[in-house]
Amino acid sequence: NNIHAQGPNVYAIEYYHLVGARPNTTYTAWISFHIGDPDCSEAASFVLPSAQIATNPAGNGHGSSGKFTPEDVADLRGAEHGVNWIIQDESGEAVFESGCSPDFLD
């Protein structure tokens, strides 16, 4: 879930949910930002680790980035960017990529 509260204290929170993944495994969620490139046609401008997700014996787990403040995104607001969410397993292998999503930060 990509939630933009756009409030005075919380600009956005990233929530991740895995269902039926490998049991008892810790995954890392990453956010790949493509500044001013809503199609993600160029290399990522930067990639941030966003959350750790530990799965239970059924392979289900959830994690959160915590909050991004308005100050965190001040230089990115007022434009459309491309975003790709990536989930990596413990070996660093990407086991899921969302694909490019255009995201307007107002």
Side-chain angles (χ1 to χ4, degrees):
N1 295 323
N2 181 24
I3 300 168
H4 288 224
Q6 299 174 351
N9 299 312
V10 177
Y11 184 80
I13 299 173
E14 304 285 323
Y15 290 107
Y16 302 92
H17 301 275
L18 297 179
V19 177
R22 190 176 315 128
N24 304 314
T25 301
T26 300
Y27 293 88
T28 303
W30 297 82
I31 305 172
S32 175
F33 288 96
H34 299 260
I35 304 303
D37 181 14
D39 298 323
C40 303
S41 59
E42 302 293 327
S45 302
F46 58 93
V47 180
L48 296 174
S50 182
Q52 295 288 308
I53 308 162
T55 58
N56 63 19
N60 303 326
H62 63 276
S64 172
S65 65
K67 67 180 180 179
F68 291 95
T69 66
E71 294 79 21
D72 292 334
V73 298
D75 293 339
L76 303 174
R77 295 176 79 172
E80 191 172 35
H81 311 288
V83 183
N84 183 26
W85 290 268
I86 303 163
I87 305 295
Q88 288 182 334
D89 66 12
E90 293 167 328
S91 73
E93 179 183 352
V95 295
F96 172 82
E97 289 195 40
S98 67
C100 187
S101 176
D103 199 357
F104 185 82
L105 300 182
D106 52 351

